[in-house]
Amino acid sequence: MIIDANQQIIPLAFAIVDEETKVAWRWFLRLLSKHIVRGMWGVCLISDRHIAIIKAVESVPAFQEPLGVHRFCLRHIASNFNSRFKCVELKDLCYNAGRAFTVFKFNQIMEQIKELSPATFAYLDSIDRAKWTFCYDQGFRCGIMTTNMFECFNGVLVGARRLPITVIVRITFQRTKNFFMEREKLAIKFQWTNQRFLDNILNLYQKEAEEGVTSRYTVDSYNNALQIASVSTFYDGSKTSHTYTVKLSTRECSCGKWSFTGISCSHAAAVCRHFHFEVSELVHVVYSTQTYASIYSSALFLPLGDEEEWGEASFMLTHDPERRIKHRGRDVTIESTTRWIGRKLARGNIINAIGVGVQIRDLHPDVDDLTVLYALYAHNLFFVTVLYAHDLFL
């Protein structure tokens, strides 16, 4: 997944693998580097600290400097930190350190952690700071610190996971196509209304501008030609103030946020008002409706056509019995399967009932059909019972 000009996710590539191993991740990342990011510089890959991903990235030059960089999800860093040290206060400090815009602020928080627990400080200090902190990132993340947005997209496809692979592929393809079509319509709407920038970006700028108005900011200009000024901030309830240097001509603020995200901060908004400069003029071109439209209009989806018209595959899928995967976690029983189907149907997710007969037989090949029918009926899944019986006697 990647982020578009409206700060929304774009599905980039999908893969079906047996499990998350180094081999699987290396295969996937190599295909990404060959077909998606080939010839690009400065590509940033954000992931958790799964050992398989780390090892796979080490063997794919496209995601290593100087071509690209690999960064860690701050939420996973904080979660692993909490699992190890079991302290919510330290976990919050860890998260705040990762989100700190300046090195000075980062060092302050790290000193707090060190005073509370030298062991936790040593643990965080052992992780490459460029991989998990905002202030040492050099702008590769564009302000994206976690993979939360991308993991939310999994909810769109979660209903298809227990279906046959061919159905999974069809559902994923169809939903992705619809996703792009809807976004393209939105882009056309923006262009027809002559809206220069996208709603989410304009809302962010509006929020920063309002913060500059409601907070007590004092602007002192130093150079009118280059539009350089200092901004002193004093928040209600705080006895201390902070001073930042803003350079509108180079789109910089010493708080660090503007340089690393491309989106101006509240200090820049205050300086814009001081120089009677329209803050929307500072929006980077990557956040324009033109850029947004180019992303989705360039996507080409073609109908799959009738299966009889497909050409012969240049490969053959074979099963290696020696690579049988050992089952992990709880056993999948008829009872657990029927409860799972019931929860999905209760949420109105009818797609889980598609091909349910094939699905249940795949999960329980050694159980006779009457037992399955009885289990479904016993859990009051009348609709699924009828579907299964219908599929059984076809």
Side-chain angles (χ1 to χ4, degrees), residues 31 84 86 119 160 162-163 203 227 230 246 284 291 312 366:
L31 289 179
R84 189 183 184 98
K86 309 292 185 184
R162 296 196 181 190
L163 296 175
N203 291 338
Q227 296 173 321
S230 68
V246 177
H284 198 285
T291 301
E312 290 292 330
D366 299 328

Side-chain angles (χ1 to χ4, degrees), residues 8 70 89 108 196 211 220 225 240 315 317 358 365 373 392:
Q8 296 174 311
H70 183 205
E89 181 183 2
Q108 275 190 325
R196 290 179 57 196
E211 183 178 347
D220 187 13
T240 59
F315 58 89
L317 295 176
V358 176
L373 281 170
L392 176 64

